[in-house]
Amino acid sequence: MPEPAPGPSTHYDLSRARAALFLAVIQDRPGAQHDVEALRGLCQALGFETTLRTDPTAQAFQEELAQFRERLDTRSGPVSCVLVALMAHGGPRGQLMGADWQEVHPEALQRELSHCRALRGCPKIFLLQACRGGNRDAGVRPTALPWYWRWLQAPPTIPSHADVLQIYADAQGSASKGSPPGSSDQADILTVYAAAEGYVAYRDEKGSDFIQMLVEVLRAKPGGDLLELLTEVNRRVCEQDVLGPDCDELRKACLEIRSSLRRRLCLQA
C-alpha cells in the first residue's frame, strides 16, 4: 500500500535569508540605546541582516518601511522571514511619535509589508516598544495586613509595561485547507506590543523589560517555538512590580501579543 502524501509543513521554512529593520527614536528616551544594542546582537546571532535607523521623523518611519519593502522585492535571492522593531514614544491612541514629534500609525507601517511580494507566505514579526495610552495598572494585591504585605513584597525592578496578554490567532488547522501560502495579506503576522491598548510602556536607563527579557529568553532557547517563548517573556514581565517615573506606587505590567501565524515559528533549527 503506498504511503499517504505528506501534509503541509507544520513549521515555517527559515532556510533562506532573513532581514531585520530597526527604527528607534533614541533622543529623550533614556535606555533606548541599550534595547537597540541588545536586540541587534540577538538578531545578528539568529542570522538576520539588520538595518538600523535612529531618530527617524514620522515621515522617515514611512519612507524607511517603503525602502525596506523595495529592497526585499528587488533582491536577487528569496527571503524567509523579516523582523521589524519600532521603538518610540507613543500617543494616546497608539500612534508612534517620530523624532519630530509628529504622529505615524503603526498599522500603516505594517500594511506596507503586508503587500510585499517577496514575503508572501513568510512570517513577519513586529516588535513595538512604545506607549499605547496613559493608563497604569495597579494590579490586584492579595488581602493582607499592611506590614505582612510589605514583608512579602520583593524589591521593585526596572520600570516596564502594563495590562493583559491577548493572543489573536487564526482558527486551528486553517493552513491545511488548501489555500496557497500568502493568500491573505493579514496572514503570517506576529505583533508584540510592550503594553496593552490604552496603557503605558515603561523604560529606564537600563532599557525596557520587554526588549531585555525578550533577548534573554531567546538567547537561552533560540530554537524554541516563538509564541511559547513570548508567553514566557510575558510571564516574567507580569510577575514583576515596576515603579513608574511619575508616581511612588508600584504598578504591574503585561505584554499584548497578536498572531495570525499559520505554522510554528522557530528562529533556529
Side-chain angles (χ1 to χ4, degrees):
M1 179 179 296
E3 296 184 0
S9 172
T10 59
H11 290 70
Y12 285 101
D13 178 9
L14 300 189
S15 61
R16 297 163 292 179
R18 309 174 188 190
L21 174 66
F22 295 178
L23 301 179
V25 176
I26 303 298
Q27 66 182 30
D28 300 321
R29 297 183 65 244
Q33 186 63 43
H34 293 293
D35 283 348
V36 169
E37 293 170 356
L39 191 58
R40 180 163 57 177
L42 173 68
C43 286
Q44 290 174 345
L46 292 172
F48 283 85
E49 303 171 10
T50 304
T51 300
L52 168 64
R53 171 74 182 273
T54 58
D55 293 327
T57 63
Q59 183 176 350
F61 267 100
Q62 298 173 318
E63 293 174 348
E64 289 290 337
L65 256 296
Q67 293 171 13
F68 185 60
R69 171 189 173 183
E70 180 66 21
R71 291 195 299 270
L72 293 172
D73 277 336
T74 57
R75 64 179 291 142
S76 56
V79 180
S80 59
C81 178
V82 296
L83 182 149
V84 176
L86 306 174
M87 307 180 194
H89 285 296
R93 296 179 301 279
Q95 319 95 308
L96 297 175
M97 310 301 294
D100 57 351
W101 291 101
Q102 298 300 305
E103 300 176 358
V104 60
H105 291 275
E107 295 81 8
L109 303 178
Q110 290 176 307
R111 283 195 298 270
E112 186 71 43
L113 288 190
S114 295
H115 301 299
C116 180
R117 297 187 305 274
L119 297 178
R120 291 292 174 89
C122 300
K124 295 165 279 288
I125 305 167
F126 292 90
L127 307 177
L128 286 86
Q129 171 58 41
C131 289
R132 303 176 69 200
N135 295 325
R136 284 120 173 119
D137 185 0
V140 179
R141 304 293 184 184
T143 302
L145 296 175
W147 68 266
Y148 183 65
W149 172 243
R150 288 196 298 270
W151 178 73
L152 287 177
Q153 192 173 32
T157 59
I158 60 174
S160 190
H161 331 114
D163 212 48
V164 182
L165 167 68
Q166 300 178 21
I167 298 180
Y168 304 93
D170 283 356
Q172 185 175 2
S174 62
S176 61
K177 296 182 179 179
S179 58
S183 58
S184 169
D185 287 340
Q186 304 306 312
D188 309 303
I189 299 174
L190 173 61
T191 306
V192 190
Y193 298 92
E197 185 174 357
Y199 283 77
V200 299
Y202 293 111
R203 153 191 41 77
D204 76 354
E205 68 279 357
K206 297 179 182 179
S208 66
D209 280 355
F210 168 39
I211 297 298
Q212 296 297 323
M213 288 190 178
L214 174 71
V215 170
E216 179 181 324
V217 169
L218 265 66
R219 281 194 176 277
K221 195 175 180 182
D225 179 272
L226 187 53
L227 276 177
E228 294 180 2
L229 296 177
L230 287 169
T231 302
E232 171 64 14
V233 174
N234 185 63
R235 182 189 67 80
R236 297 187 186 189
V237 169
C238 288
E239 288 181 350
Q240 296 199 46
D241 289 318
V242 299
L243 191 61
D246 55 351
C247 68
D248 295 328
E249 298 179 6
L250 294 176
R251 305 297 187 182
K252 297 303 291 185
C254 202
L255 311 181
E256 182 175 324
I257 301 172
R258 297 184 180 183
S259 172
S260 62
L261 297 179
R262 298 177 297 154
R263 296 175 174 84
R264 296 187 68 186
L265 177 56
C266 302
L267 296 178
Q268 189 174 92

